[in-house]
Amino acid sequence: MNNTSESNKPINNLEKIVSLCKRRGFIFQGSEIYGGLGSIWDYGPLGSELKRNIKESWWNKMVLERKDVVGLDSSILMNSEIWKASGHLENFTDPLVECQECNQRWREDQLNGKSCPSCSGVLSEARLFNLMFKTSIGPVEGDSTTIYLRPETAQGIFVNFNNVISTSRKKLPFGIAQIGKAFRNEITTGNFIFRTREFEMMEMEYFVYPGEDEKWHKYWINECLEWYKSIGINSNKLRVRQHDSNEMAHYAKATADIEYDFSWGWGEITGIANRTDFDLKAHSKGSGENLSIFDENTNQHITPYVIEPSIGIDRTIMTLLLDSYREEESINAKGKNETRVFLDFDPVIAPIKIAVLPLSRNESILPLSNKVYDILLKSKIISGAIDFDDSQSIGRRYRRQDEIGTPICVTIDFESLNDHSVTIRDRNTMLQNRVKLIDLELSIDKQLSGNL
Ligand code: GAP
């Protein structure tokens, strides 16, 4: 399987991050013990927490904290007629060229020259390659049973338009949001989880009055930027790039990408498209169902325009990892210079919020350590995973927590038994603060400025 890289630019911290992700349990190669599968990745214990926090933050901001947006969870497998009507069967393609010498395949629009980047061989004429994965439904294979894995979650929203309106009674403008997997048989993949064949998206279709679409397009570009800032991404490394007319998807009137300045160059992490009434009209025609909304202001049926913010979760994770990776020179407990690595995650998305670390495995401090763990577990100010780790030396445990981005460690020592106090250690400054057990929650809340 062809596995070419997004670009040949220097990769800086990428290799270190790939190694950290495997070593600490964020991301593993899919099917690893069988040699892997091209550009498919599995999320480990920490990766799955990180992903869950990202989804929760987005869902809270885009659905729960708004009156005008509702959620949906539609199926991955859908009737093939949907992909015919939406234009994906015809247009969801990339230009594919094949090397006549080494048989490697490339995306023609991503090549710099006219010959094979691998062996300089002669390339074939380009042909359009559809990126949708095919499978078949039921026990008989054949054209009539061919179905596709969805390449975007959006179509599940459009085909449920009438169902959602009649049950939620929303009026324009309103949105339908969903989070789910999408699949694309990409010709070229690479840069770790940046371009993969199976990935997860957070999408919203926001339906508006025709004529108000451009105003709402700007609004959603801004909302997406604000969300990225709210999860701690450095806004100086984000930019908005408007698509040229020749790069727009078949359904779009205008598209703006939010891009991040990766170590290999600017890369798209979110697309915000003005899809007009293309999809609702296409499915009205394809299905024979009238996908419009009755507008009480004008006493007319309207086919709304739609603005679509579409965020790749895996690319958001890639961004967070690169954006938060820090190396600094420090002196360890033995007085030796060492490079300290930490992930400067915002507490909102950090996979582990707090680590409880008994100084040693000595039985005398275990009951108090368990009590501290219990207090934090039941605390209303902390929502998310809390770690309990009593293995290895305390120095190594701090290093591990730094590397996985845990904002705070709470250490219980022998003195704690007498003074009913514990030590709070801050990830970024490494400053340690002694606090009374009864003030623990308050101190943590203060230290993280209520950001948990
Ligand atoms: N429904 C609109 C849509 O699918 P898109 O720009 O093709 O738009 C939206 O995809 C987002 O999905 C992208 O901004 C990117 O973050 C993510 N994405 C797309 N293809 C991807 C891939 N092969 N691997 C990982 N993420 C991908």
Side-chain angles (χ1 to χ4, degrees):
M1 195 165 278
N2 187 10
N3 218 355
T4 49
S5 162
E6 194 84 10
S7 96
N8 297 325
K9 288 196 184 156
I11 50 177
N12 298 341
N13 288 332
L14 187 58
E15 275 170 18
K16 291 178 185 169
I17 282 167
V18 175
S19 148
L20 188 155
C21 282
K22 169 146 173 72
R23 195 160 26 87
R24 296 300 188 189
F26 281 94
I27 299 166
F28 309 123
Q29 191 184 11
S31 312
E32 189 178 2
I33 62 169
Y34 285 94
L37 185 65
S39 276
I40 307 286
W41 299 90
D42 294 341
Y43 286 82
L46 294 176
S48 50
E49 282 302 325
L50 178 60
K51 216 180 199 192
R52 205 178 60 81
N53 293 339
I54 291 168
K55 290 191 227 176
E56 199 173 295
S57 156
W58 187 81
W59 196 260
N60 284 345
K61 185 163 166 68
M62 303 296 172
V63 184
L64 301 184
E65 292 167 18
R66 301 184 62 111
K67 296 192 190 88
D68 56 348
V69 180
V70 291
L72 183 77
D73 185 3
S74 68
S75 53
I76 288 173
L77 302 178
M78 300 199 284
N79 192 315
S80 300
E81 292 298 314
I82 290 172
W83 304 113
K84 198 166 147 195
S86 70
H88 281 78
L89 272 179
E90 196 184 336
N91 299 311
F92 199 65
T93 54
D94 278 336
L96 171 89
V97 287
E98 187 167 347
C99 175
Q100 315 279 18
E101 317 291 324
C102 70
N103 296 330
Q104 279 211 67
R105 294 173 164 194
W106 307 94
R107 241 178 88 171
E108 190 198 35
D109 56 340
Q110 286 181 345
L111 294 178
N112 290 326
K114 290 199 178 310
S115 51
C116 173
S118 177
C119 75
S120 302
V122 177
L123 296 170
S124 67
E125 285 292 309
R127 70 178 169 88
L128 291 177
F129 175 77
N130 197 297
L131 302 187
M132 287 197 290
F133 280 98
K134 267 188 203 168
T135 185
S136 61
I137 192 157
V140 183
E141 276 186 41
D143 283 351
S144 64
T145 59
T146 297
I147 57 167
Y148 302 88
L149 301 190
R150 67 181 179 197
E152 60 170 8
T153 72
Q155 297 305 323
I157 296 180
F158 295 125
V159 299
N160 275 293
F161 183 73
N162 283 351
N163 285 335
V164 175
I165 290 186
S166 61
T167 50
S168 69
R169 297 176 297 126
K170 289 286 169 211
K171 306 266 178 276
L172 292 178
F174 75 96
I176 306 175
Q178 84 165 321
I179 298 179
K181 288 256 179 166
F183 305 82
R184 295 182 190 180
N185 198 3
E186 298 279 1
I187 300 168
T188 55
T189 55
N191 284 335
F192 195 28
I193 51 169
F194 183 82
R195 190 178 298 282
T196 60
R197 295 192 168 99
E198 172 177 341
F199 55 97
E200 215 164 349
M201 313 175 91
M202 305 186 289
E203 295 200 295
M204 185 197 297
E205 306 306 319
Y206 195 78
F207 300 97
V208 302
Y209 286 105
E212 294 189 354
D213 49 313
E214 290 177 11
K215 173 184 91 182
W216 284 107
H217 196 201
K218 288 197 190 98
Y219 171 87
W220 281 108
I221 294 170
N222 200 42
E223 284 296 286
C224 291
L225 283 170
E226 287 303 314
W227 177 73
Y228 275 119
K229 285 184 214 160
S230 79
I231 58 167
I233 290 174
N234 177 0
S235 52
N236 293 328
K237 296 193 87 178
L238 293 173
R239 75 173 185 192
V240 175
R241 189 182 68 82
Q242 301 290 339
H243 277 209
D244 290 336
S245 55
N246 61 357
E247 58 175 323
M248 236 135 38
H250 61 276
Y251 47 70
K253 167 179 159 185
T255 298
D257 286 346
I258 295 181
E259 297 185 332
Y260 181 79
D261 189 8
F262 290 102
S263 41
W264 60 86
W266 290 95
E268 172 195 344
I269 53 177
T270 284
I272 302 131
N274 179 346
R275 290 180 84 130
T276 68
D277 54 6
F278 177 89
D279 300 271
L280 289 179
K281 283 204 166 143
H283 289 303
S284 293
K285 192 164 167 233
S287 66
E289 285 278 324
N290 180 5
L291 301 180
S292 62
I293 187 166
F294 183 71
D295 180 45
E296 283 160 2
N297 293 329
T298 54
N299 272 342
Q300 278 181 337
H301 279 275
I302 293 178
T303 306
Y305 269 37
V306 67
I307 306 300
E308 176 195 66
S310 175
I311 298 185
I313 298 180
D314 309 77
R315 286 196 191 173
T316 301
I317 291 178
M318 182 84 256
T319 307
L320 281 165
L321 289 166
L322 279 161
D323 202 55
S324 63
Y325 185 84
R326 306 275 182 275
E327 278 181 8
E328 67 178 26
E329 295 310 312
S330 68
I331 297 170
N332 68 16
K334 291 178 185 149
K336 288 204 173 130
N337 284 339
E338 67 171 14
T339 305
R340 185 173 83 99
V341 171
F342 67 99
L343 293 180
D344 186 12
F345 280 150
D346 189 288
V348 169
I349 56 103
I352 306 282
K353 309 295 180 189
I354 295 173
V356 176
L357 310 176
L359 189 66
S360 85
R361 276 188 154 160
N362 190 301
E363 279 185 8
S364 61
I365 55 173
L366 201 60
L368 182 63
S369 305
N370 281 330
K371 186 177 163 191
V372 171
Y373 179 67
D374 264 3
I375 292 173
L376 295 175
L377 215 51
K378 288 183 190 131
S379 167
K380 296 237 178 330
I381 62 155
I382 303 157
S383 99
I386 296 172
D387 198 6
F388 184 97
D389 186 3
D390 62 356
S391 61
Q392 299 181 313
S393 74
I394 189 72
R396 285 185 145 208
R397 279 181 281 156
Y398 281 149
R399 220 161 38 237
R400 173 176 186 274
Q401 295 299 339
D402 287 346
E403 264 201 348
I404 66 176
T406 306
I408 277 183
C409 291
V410 176
T411 307
I412 299 95
D413 54 27
F414 296 101
E415 194 49 34
S416 303
L417 299 173
N418 301 321
D419 66 1
H420 303 285
S421 299
V422 292
T423 302
I424 295 182
R425 175 186 179 272
D426 179 85
R427 175 195 63 207
N428 289 17
T429 61
M430 292 193 287
L431 287 177
Q432 303 196 3
N433 192 10
R434 195 82 181 157
V435 298
K436 288 271 175 218
L437 210 47
I438 49 166
D439 297 329
L440 180 61
E441 283 179 82
L442 200 66
S443 304
I444 288 175
D445 196 30
K446 240 195 214 158
Q447 190 154 335
L448 300 178
S449 331
N451 252 357
L452 276 179

